[in-house]
Amino acid sequence: MIIQFKAATSKSLIQDFCERQRQAGVVVYQSAQHVALIGLKEVTLTAAEQTGVDSMTTDEPSYVLSSRLFQPENTIIQLPHSTIGGEQFTMMAGPCSVESAEHILAMAKVAKEGGATLLRGGAYKPRTSPYSFQGMGEAGLKALRQAADATGMDVITEVMDETHVALIAQYTDVFQIGARNMQNFSLLKAVGQTNIPVALKRGLAATVDDLLNAAEYIAANGNHQIMLLERGIRTFDNQYTRNTFDLNAVPVLQKLSHYPVVVDPSHATGEWDLVTPMARAGVATGASGMMVEIHDHPEAAFSDGPQALKPATYLEMCRQIWAIDQLMRSW
Amino acid sequence: MIIQFKAATSKSLIQDFCERQRQAGVVVYQSAQHVALIGLKEVTLTAAEQTGVDSMTTDEPSYVLSSRLFQPENTIIQLPHSTIGGEQFTMMAGPCSVESAEHILAMAKVAKEGGATLLRGGAYKPRTSPYSFQGMGEAGLKALRQAADATGMDVITEVMDETHVALIAQYTDVFQIGARNMQNFSLLKAVGQTNIPVALKRGLAATVDDLLNAAEYIAANGNHQIMLLERGIRTFDNQYTRNTFDLNAVPVLQKLSHYPVVVDPSHATGEWDLVTPMARAGVATGASGMMVEIHDHPEAAFSDGPQALKPATYLEMCRQIWAIDQLMRSW
Amino acid sequence: MIIQFKAATSKSLIQDFCERQRQAGVVVYQSAQHVALIGLKEVTLTAAEQTGVDSMTTDEPSYVLSSRLFQPENTIIQLPHSTIGGEQFTMMAGPCSVESAEHILAMAKVAKEGGATLLRGGAYKPRTSPYSFQGMGEAGLKALRQAADATGMDVITEVMDETHVALIAQYTDVFQIGARNMQNFSLLKAVGQTNIPVALKRGLAATVDDLLNAAEYIAANGNHQIMLLERGIRTFDNQYTRNTFDLNAVPVLQKLSHYPVVVDPSHATGEWDLVTPMARAGVATGASGMMVEIHDHPEAAFSDGPQALKPATYLEMCRQIWAIDQLMRSW
Amino acid sequence: MIIQFKAATSKSLIQDFCERQRQAGVVVYQSAQHVALIGLKEVTLTAAEQTGVDSMTTDEPSYVLSSRLFQPENTIIQLPHSTIGGEQFTMMAGPCSVESAEHILAMAKVAKEGGATLLRGGAYKPRTSPYSFQGMGEAGLKALRQAADATGMDVITEVMDETHVALIAQYTDVFQIGARNMQNFSLLKAVGQTNIPVALKRGLAATVDDLLNAAEYIAANGNHQIMLLERGIRTFDNQYTRNTFDLNAVPVLQKLSHYPVVVDPSHATGEWDLVTPMARAGVATGASGMMVEIHDHPEAAFSDGPQALKPATYLEMCRQIWAIDQLMRSW
């Protein structure tokens, strides 16, 4: 159940109440005036507590911490060079894979020129086939970090495995959890025990509730710096696009949850010439940010070449995105 | 196969060539310099014809007339008060069902105020259950026509049945074919034999190719004034929305076909509070127009109340749509 | 609402009650002891009526007539040579299209040899492309009828269009409504006004409720001889099969409705070498019958050749089906 | 590429050829007369080798080791008490979660009575919500092992995490990889480095190719004892069932791959009263085995109660399954 105390209720009364519940063995979460008692359907209140209560519900979703019911205010993630979920739209760009120190640096400069403040690039790659390129590993992480530092950007990179969490934590500003690992609960728990922000990609067949419950695994382990990525779902409509871009999910997630929502038009389409219109659509929904793949020679990319934007196309796309963003923020 | 003749090739040479093929029993279509020979995989050309040919392909899609390969130029549909597919974005609005003469007139005024030039409203309603409201019939058509005329708008209304085509033709400027009838081939043929523009809605499980082949039924029967409506597809993701809005389909259709593409965020979401963000996304993709449902008392609407915008919400949405449209046309 | 009267309640009491409701403008349906009052949520009963009532519910589905709640007993469809929904499993076989009088007769003999009692064959074909073979029309109907008569079989053939209903009624024992027309409500009403049994195919994206509501259109127009066909749905899983065979729907439909359920492994797979295992699966679910496509020269078939069984394969499949059916009926 | 050598070709010639390729840096796999050279599109052969070659293809799937092209013979997995993929149909049964030593023993006895030779039960549970029961852990593994030993059964249990592989290996005969972890590539590699058979469940949105590529991760790491589980996919059709049981996948997988295919009607339906008909359908497709969940008090089960069969229902289901299996093996 979730109890909302009145604004005027004293902090110590709320603290004491929470403490009493914890001693009774209840898992208790608190967010300002809101207190969640996991699994409880009824609770005994003192007279003073009753007076302090504004409202109570036992109809909360299973993703309590992730819900707006528990935390009405937006989560804002602050990084050295970027803010996600605040007033600013946030651009994240880079190649699918880190391919070399020189290449990631060149791509970082392009990304930055378009207005990106986070540099993406995979050093450990989840590939459908075991015979495909699996990533540069730690050497890739180093190159990625150096390229970001050289250009004044933050790093976002994928972690596929709980045994890599400590290593990747040394290099990244944001952990990315890929779509295929969205319900790798061991991994979710592991990143939940760090204090590094997590970008959680929606799985190909994940409902909105599945995604928010996956976020809850991270939050319940103590890490509340979470952003949600819509990157396309799998449907019958796979003739001309890799996935179906479920932009409806953006306002739905914003209604249900306080975490920032980011869109990925690269994976959601899988075709570079569809990325710009769908990126425009993404910013127009009101998403907090975007992740996009770029490459100077897509035909030679180590992975996902067909969806990568060449630098000139990326820069033109960014021009359009920032103009729409500026327009929308003027309202 | 499709033959593209050079711009300099004389019209009479092309005409003679087409005539010879027709006399040989081939179904022949011509669009400026392009000639389609349905079902042929090879053809004999005179020396003069060979000189006149620019390129030939036997790799055309089954939806020949509807393809950009056959007609590179955009189809533009001109109505008394509206243009669809031209420089202007086109707004179509109105209630789901025509409910009375007074109500449709009131809604027409609201629609017009927001910038709509087409008035929508169903007089024959395809309803999942036989016990649901099935529409006002011809009385509804009359009221719809009168409301449009009184406000200087064009009419778009659904035809469910080939036996209604002649009747509805007396009242409407555009035939709407609903999603459930997208592959009602008898109906497609019937509207194809009129000269009234057709708005063809994509079926819930229709691929892009299915949609374009359905359009081809209309075109092959002589009616080339077709617009395509994306209104959401059916996927596993039906927890918080009625359908999945497949906006990827907008640029895909624009690439493959010359028909204008219109988006319907009302059916694509099924929830009024999601309509505005998804309408913004729709215009941002570069669609040619939008259809949206409005109602002054959604809770009392005869059909689809939950997705109807109240007038004030609609007008605010329109303000945003026109601003994004204006921005995009300034580039 | 649905009222179930006690077995001992006099027929005249029930009749009088129904009559009173009808005079009050209510749509009333009766099935033995069950009375459905469409749209009503409460009703006033006399003391005698109250005594006669066994149970009442306002929680009925929208497909009242089609529900087991209204009619607990199975619907059994009796044709001259076949029974569908009774003790016997029913085989329906034939080519996708009627191709000639000779061919359909040859196929009828094969079908019969395998134990089929209904002969299928399309004379009017719903084809994705307008340039594909559209069927032989009335000549095909005649040939189909003659082949069935010559072999002592019943005819099942597709009606695509309400304007064809009267014509096809002269030749067929069962109307087939195709998947693409499942929600062609004008057509459903038209066949609902005949007394010829209807085989209603599930649409590619139709939920179980959609299918039962479509059946309700037929029943509400007076025709209660309905069978439901599961023929595959459209999902992401279209790599090696044309559709996904949703066999779960067989026991689900049997639980919710009293109509016989028939499976179509030909369309559900689209590949002849998958038909036999899936036909075995179909009979094992407990379905009432099966429809399967056969052709002596699939590579030259006018339509759907890849899914047609050659005669020898068909006969071996039938041997297996009848053996499983016999085993299951022995329990 | 895959090279098939003639039956008469000497083993040493093939060995020498493989060795030469390995020394040239090629990843080489060999299965009797078949040699796969990963990533190669051409190869230089000596005259003797050319004479020894039966056929060559560069059109092999990415899941080379898992393909019938590379290994035409069925994989048969031999356990102390069970054979999977051989002449016998194999039953695997047990509760969703191990709940206590007493309970799992009681369930083992029921499972065994129905003819099961593998006992299932989860000690580590992948749950959508972090607040749901997460499994008994090692205590559960011990209880499961003891129950299996006491009844003369083999153990199958889920491993969610590569860090658990060594621990679970001490207790289980078969590792189960759950649907959500089907593309947890770190986990696949980890179980691939053991010599314990793996039951790989198909992901909710996994295509057949995705599943076989996931199996390839296990095989490429050295473990060839793999079985594939169809347990339902996620589609729009989720009104009355938890998933859509994609039985088409059984013959498709059997055609493409040599691994045994097992069906899971419990997860594929999610409703106990649908399990028996769908279990019959599963055995009738020709699958090699079945996994089913049982519980004596489903309403009190720690997880997935709604889909658990009570003992009497399970025993009746088994009676039917074995009868169909016996019939099919008599052909």
Side-chain angles (χ1 to χ4, degrees), chain C residues 95-109:
Chain C
C96 182
S97 295
V98 180
E99 302 185 359
S100 73
E102 296 69 32
H103 187 258
I104 188 68
L105 181 59
M107 291 302 97
K109 289 175 180 167

PDB file of all heavy atoms in Angstrom, chain C residues 95-109:
ATOM      1  N   PRO C  95      -9.463 -28.408 -53.500  1.00  0.00           N
ATOM      2  CA  PRO C  95      -8.442 -27.455 -53.932  1.00  0.00           C
ATOM      3  C   PRO C  95      -8.771 -26.051 -53.427  1.00  0.00           C
ATOM      4  O   PRO C  95      -9.916 -25.775 -53.076  1.00  0.00           O
ATOM      5  CB  PRO C  95      -8.543 -27.514 -55.452  1.00  0.00           C
ATOM      6  CG  PRO C  95      -9.962 -27.877 -55.716  1.00  0.00           C
ATOM      7  CD  PRO C  95     -10.368 -28.796 -54.589  1.00  0.00           C
ATOM      8  N   CYS C  96      -7.765 -25.187 -53.411  1.00  0.00           N
ATOM      9  CA  CYS C  96      -8.000 -23.796 -53.020  1.00  0.00           C
ATOM     10  C   CYS C  96      -9.033 -23.184 -53.956  1.00  0.00           C
ATOM     11  O   CYS C  96     -10.061 -22.694 -53.520  1.00  0.00           O
ATOM     12  CB  CYS C  96      -6.669 -23.021 -53.070  1.00  0.00           C
ATOM     13  SG  CYS C  96      -6.820 -21.299 -52.556  1.00  0.00           S
ATOM     14  N   SER C  97      -8.765 -23.245 -55.257  1.00  0.00           N
ATOM     15  CA  SER C  97      -9.692 -22.702 -56.258  1.00  0.00           C
ATOM     16  C   SER C  97     -10.288 -23.831 -57.083  1.00  0.00           C
ATOM     17  O   SER C  97      -9.608 -24.815 -57.376  1.00  0.00           O
ATOM     18  CB  SER C  97      -8.936 -21.788 -57.237  1.00  0.00           C
ATOM     19  OG  SER C  97      -8.420 -20.658 -56.592  1.00  0.00           O
ATOM     20  N   VAL C  98     -11.540 -23.658 -57.491  1.00  0.00           N
ATOM     21  CA  VAL C  98     -12.081 -24.509 -58.546  1.00  0.00           C
ATOM     22  C   VAL C  98     -11.373 -24.096 -59.835  1.00  0.00           C
ATOM     23  O   VAL C  98     -11.353 -22.910 -60.186  1.00  0.00           O
ATOM     24  CB  VAL C  98     -13.601 -24.317 -58.701  1.00  0.00           C
ATOM     25  CG1 VAL C  98     -14.134 -25.225 -59.805  1.00  0.00           C
ATOM     26  CG2 VAL C  98     -14.314 -24.580 -57.388  1.00  0.00           C
ATOM     27  N   GLU C  99     -10.741 -25.060 -60.513  1.00  0.00           N
ATOM     28  CA  GLU C  99      -9.947 -24.715 -61.693  1.00  0.00           C
ATOM     29  C   GLU C  99     -10.598 -25.172 -62.990  1.00  0.00           C
ATOM     30  O   GLU C  99     -10.383 -24.586 -64.050  1.00  0.00           O
ATOM     31  CB  GLU C  99      -8.536 -25.292 -61.538  1.00  0.00           C
ATOM     32  CG  GLU C  99      -7.831 -24.771 -60.277  1.00  0.00           C
ATOM     33  CD  GLU C  99      -6.376 -25.218 -60.151  1.00  0.00           C
ATOM     34  OE1 GLU C  99      -5.890 -25.953 -61.036  1.00  0.00           O
ATOM     35  OE2 GLU C  99      -5.734 -24.807 -59.158  1.00  0.00           O
ATOM     36  N   SER C 100     -11.374 -26.244 -62.905  1.00  0.00           N
ATOM     37  CA  SER C 100     -12.131 -26.734 -64.065  1.00  0.00           C
ATOM     38  C   SER C 100     -13.058 -27.824 -63.552  1.00  0.00           C
ATOM     39  O   SER C 100     -12.870 -28.344 -62.442  1.00  0.00           O
ATOM     40  CB  SER C 100     -11.198 -27.326 -65.135  1.00  0.00           C
ATOM     41  OG  SER C 100     -10.688 -28.579 -64.691  1.00  0.00           O
ATOM     42  N   ALA C 101     -14.050 -28.177 -64.358  1.00  0.00           N
ATOM     43  CA  ALA C 101     -14.997 -29.212 -63.943  1.00  0.00           C
ATOM     44  C   ALA C 101     -14.271 -30.544 -63.760  1.00  0.00           C
ATOM     45  O   ALA C 101     -14.535 -31.283 -62.805  1.00  0.00           O
ATOM     46  CB  ALA C 101     -16.114 -29.354 -64.987  1.00  0.00           C
ATOM     47  N   GLU C 102     -13.350 -30.850 -64.652  1.00  0.00           N
ATOM     48  CA  GLU C 102     -12.622 -32.117 -64.569  1.00  0.00           C
ATOM     49  C   GLU C 102     -11.761 -32.155 -63.301  1.00  0.00           C
ATOM     50  O   GLU C 102     -11.718 -33.156 -62.586  1.00  0.00           O
ATOM     51  CB  GLU C 102     -11.700 -32.302 -65.782  1.00  0.00           C
ATOM     52  CG  GLU C 102     -12.421 -32.423 -67.108  1.00  0.00           C
ATOM     53  CD  GLU C 102     -13.086 -31.117 -67.537  1.00  0.00           C
ATOM     54  OE1 GLU C 102     -12.557 -30.022 -67.216  1.00  0.00           O
ATOM     55  OE2 GLU C 102     -14.172 -31.177 -68.166  1.00  0.00           O
ATOM     56  N   HIS C 103     -11.081 -31.034 -63.077  1.00  0.00           N
ATOM     57  CA  HIS C 103     -10.147 -31.015 -61.949  1.00  0.00           C
ATOM     58  C   HIS C 103     -10.873 -31.131 -60.611  1.00  0.00           C
ATOM     59  O   HIS C 103     -10.468 -31.889 -59.722  1.00  0.00           O
ATOM     60  CB  HIS C 103      -9.311 -29.733 -61.989  1.00  0.00           C
ATOM     61  CG  HIS C 103      -8.221 -29.729 -60.963  1.00  0.00           C
ATOM     62  ND1 HIS C 103      -8.313 -29.019 -59.790  1.00  0.00           N
ATOM     63  CD2 HIS C 103      -7.047 -30.401 -60.922  1.00  0.00           C
ATOM     64  CE1 HIS C 103      -7.233 -29.236 -59.079  1.00  0.00           C
ATOM     65  NE2 HIS C 103      -6.441 -30.059 -59.739  1.00  0.00           N
ATOM     66  N   ILE C 104     -11.961 -30.403 -60.478  1.00  0.00           N
ATOM     67  CA  ILE C 104     -12.650 -30.443 -59.188  1.00  0.00           C
ATOM     68  C   ILE C 104     -13.263 -31.823 -58.955  1.00  0.00           C
ATOM     69  O   ILE C 104     -13.268 -32.319 -57.815  1.00  0.00           O
ATOM     70  CB  ILE C 104     -13.692 -29.290 -59.061  1.00  0.00           C
ATOM     71  CG1 ILE C 104     -14.257 -29.210 -57.645  1.00  0.00           C
ATOM     72  CG2 ILE C 104     -14.815 -29.414 -60.068  1.00  0.00           C
ATOM     73  CD1 ILE C 104     -13.281 -28.776 -56.599  1.00  0.00           C
ATOM     74  N   LEU C 105     -13.680 -32.473 -60.026  1.00  0.00           N
ATOM     75  CA  LEU C 105     -14.219 -33.823 -59.872  1.00  0.00           C
ATOM     76  C   LEU C 105     -13.118 -34.790 -59.426  1.00  0.00           C
ATOM     77  O   LEU C 105     -13.313 -35.599 -58.510  1.00  0.00           O
ATOM     78  CB  LEU C 105     -14.859 -34.297 -61.176  1.00  0.00           C
ATOM     79  CG  LEU C 105     -15.468 -35.707 -61.107  1.00  0.00           C
ATOM     80  CD1 LEU C 105     -16.546 -35.807 -60.027  1.00  0.00           C
ATOM     81  CD2 LEU C 105     -16.044 -36.101 -62.473  1.00  0.00           C
ATOM     82  N   ALA C 106     -11.974 -34.673 -60.062  1.00  0.00           N
ATOM     83  CA  ALA C 106     -10.848 -35.542 -59.669  1.00  0.00           C
ATOM     84  C   ALA C 106     -10.479 -35.306 -58.205  1.00  0.00           C
ATOM     85  O   ALA C 106     -10.230 -36.256 -57.447  1.00  0.00           O
ATOM     86  CB  ALA C 106      -9.649 -35.276 -60.580  1.00  0.00           C
ATOM     87  N   MET C 107     -10.454 -34.040 -57.812  1.00  0.00           N
ATOM     88  CA  MET C 107     -10.097 -33.719 -56.426  1.00  0.00           C
ATOM     89  C   MET C 107     -11.171 -34.191 -55.453  1.00  0.00           C
ATOM     90  O   MET C 107     -10.873 -34.614 -54.330  1.00  0.00           O
ATOM     91  CB  MET C 107      -9.850 -32.213 -56.271  1.00  0.00           C
ATOM     92  CG  MET C 107      -8.600 -31.706 -56.979  1.00  0.00           C
ATOM     93  SD  MET C 107      -7.061 -32.526 -56.425  1.00  0.00           S
ATOM     94  CE  MET C 107      -6.882 -33.784 -57.696  1.00  0.00           C
ATOM     95  N   ALA C 108     -12.431 -34.120 -55.885  1.00  0.00           N
ATOM     96  CA  ALA C 108     -13.525 -34.585 -55.022  1.00  0.00           C
ATOM     97  C   ALA C 108     -13.359 -36.067 -54.722  1.00  0.00           C
ATOM     98  O   ALA C 108     -13.578 -36.521 -53.597  1.00  0.00           O
ATOM     99  CB  ALA C 108     -14.874 -34.322 -55.705  1.00  0.00           C
ATOM    100  N   LYS C 109     -12.952 -36.821 -55.737  1.00  0.00           N
ATOM    101  CA  LYS C 109     -12.776 -38.268 -55.526  1.00  0.00           C
ATOM    102  C   LYS C 109     -11.663 -38.533 -54.519  1.00  0.00           C
ATOM    103  O   LYS C 109     -11.777 -39.415 -53.657  1.00  0.00           O
ATOM    104  CB  LYS C 109     -12.479 -38.952 -56.863  1.00  0.00           C
ATOM    105  CG  LYS C 109     -13.717 -38.988 -57.771  1.00  0.00           C
ATOM    106  CD  LYS C 109     -13.395 -39.565 -59.148  1.00  0.00           C
ATOM    107  CE  LYS C 109     -14.656 -39.588 -60.037  1.00  0.00           C
ATOM    108  NZ  LYS C 109     -14.314 -39.858 -61.452  1.00  0.00           N
TER     109      LYS C 109
END
